[in-house]
Amino acid sequence: MTSTREGPATGGQSGTAGAIDVLVVDDDFMVARVHRAFVERVAPFRVAGVAGTGEQAVAAADELRPDLVLLDLYLPDAFGLDVIPRLRAAGHDCDVMVVSAAREADAVRGAVRHGVVDYLLKPFEFDDLRARLERYAVRRGRLRDAVVRGQADVDRVLAGAPAPAPPGPALPKGMSAETAALVERVLRDADGSLSASECAALTGLSRVSARRYLEYFHTVGDADVSLRYGAAGRPERRYRFRGRPEEPGPGAAARGTRARAGASCGPGTFEG
């Protein structure tokens, strides 16, 4: 279990006013890291901690008092839905949003019976989670500020927020949303441009895989490509997240190539 909160564990009262503290529960530390990065991009949410097992989730809830738990169902020591009664028995009234690859109807029905606020299937894009977090924040605020004078007030409180916007284009076959998010973050944070080899070293991917994701971002218009010429051999393709400043130096005028529809995403097409 990892915690990011400083000071006493007192839920939303311990830090920034109005913040919604989130506990991420997932046994895959790389997936948990991606989900954490997604959550922290959505205001006013912040990640208070990360847990990898059901036991750790209950202990983390005791320590951190989160407002919302992002709960995977396939945990090494328990089925995720079985963790919810343990949280309630321990006196925690935190909300739970299931984030899982479990597509069985029984799992979805069980989640509804346990009162989860939403159910998001893996893999998913950042915008899918963002829409659900924003919808949750609206409903949470509506419940907090509710003044019930009659049935109309009850109906207004229980009314659902608008459905999330339709997701963007699906990733090409064989590519995962979690890995795409990891490569995107590395590309965004890069000081200048990256080659496929440099991206592979930063993400732990193979060079071929890193290049495939970089080319995907180039194809959809999120990354610019420049060519760096060496003493011999093919020029090295370098990728920069769109909007980042140009690098100084020879050949800068030739950089900033814009994405074109139909650019290849296949591995083995380019060097670098």
Side-chain angles (χ1 to χ4, degrees):
M1 178 188 73
T2 60
S3 169
T4 60
R5 175 174 298 163
E6 296 180 2
T10 55
Q13 303 301 317
S14 65
T16 306
I20 299 176
D21 289 325
V22 179
L23 172 63
V24 175
V25 182
D26 199 296
D27 67 320
D28 188 321
F29 77 94
M30 287 295 293
V31 172
R33 197 160 84 180
V34 171
H35 292 177
R36 175 177 184 161
F38 280 0
V39 170
E40 291 180 340
R41 289 170 61 185
V42 184
F45 294 88
R46 65 181 181 184
V47 176
V50 177
T53 68
E55 193 71 30
Q56 289 177 359
V58 176
D62 288 338
E63 176 188 351
L64 304 172
R65 301 288 172 175
D67 301 304
L68 177 66
V69 177
L70 294 192
L71 180 64
D72 187 20
L73 296 187
Y74 296 135
L75 301 175
D77 62 337
F79 188 57
L81 293 182
D82 295 332
V83 175
I84 300 177
R86 295 172 60 187
L87 292 171
R88 301 295 178 242
H92 302 302
D93 61 355
C94 51
D95 293 313
V96 176
M97 182 183 299
V98 170
V99 178
S100 176
R103 301 170 186 269
E104 299 82 4
D106 285 346
V108 178
R109 285 193 293 265
V112 172
R113 286 195 294 269
H114 281 90
V116 303
V117 297
D118 215 323
Y119 194 115
L120 180 58
L121 286 173
K122 297 178 182 178
F124 55 85
E125 304 291 337
F126 165 66
D127 286 340
D128 297 328
L129 180 60
R130 178 178 62 185
R132 284 163 173 80
L133 290 175
E134 290 174 345
R135 180 170 61 186
Y136 166 76
V138 169
R139 170 169 272 190
R140 173 184 168 85
R142 187 181 291 137
L143 290 169
R144 183 189 60 225
D145 301 332
V147 176
V148 178
R149 300 184 183 90
Q151 186 62 51
D153 295 319
V154 174
D155 294 341
R156 186 162 47 251
V157 169
L158 296 180
L171 288 168
K173 186 176 181 180
M175 297 175 69
S176 75
E178 287 85 357
T179 304
L182 176 62
V183 173
E184 178 184 350
R185 187 169 69 253
V186 166
L187 195 59
R188 280 178 181 272
D189 294 344
D191 184 14
S193 61
L194 288 177
S195 68
S197 297
E198 291 166 345
C199 181
L202 291 169
T203 59
L205 299 171
S206 69
R207 186 168 69 99
V208 170
S209 293
R211 182 171 54 202
R212 186 181 182 207
Y213 282 90
L214 291 168
E215 283 296 322
Y216 166 75
F217 286 123
H218 172 46
T219 300
V220 300
D222 288 338
D224 293 328
V225 176
S226 61
L227 299 179
R228 176 174 293 179
Y229 292 86
R234 297 182 182 179
E236 178 185 61
R237 289 176 69 85
R238 300 190 65 82
Y239 304 82
R240 180 185 299 104
F241 199 82
R242 181 157 291 184
R244 294 197 58 90
E246 291 281 349
E247 292 175 306
R255 295 175 182 151
T257 303
R258 293 300 184 189
R260 295 179 175 84
S264 171
C265 283
T269 307
F270 302 104
E271 292 296 318

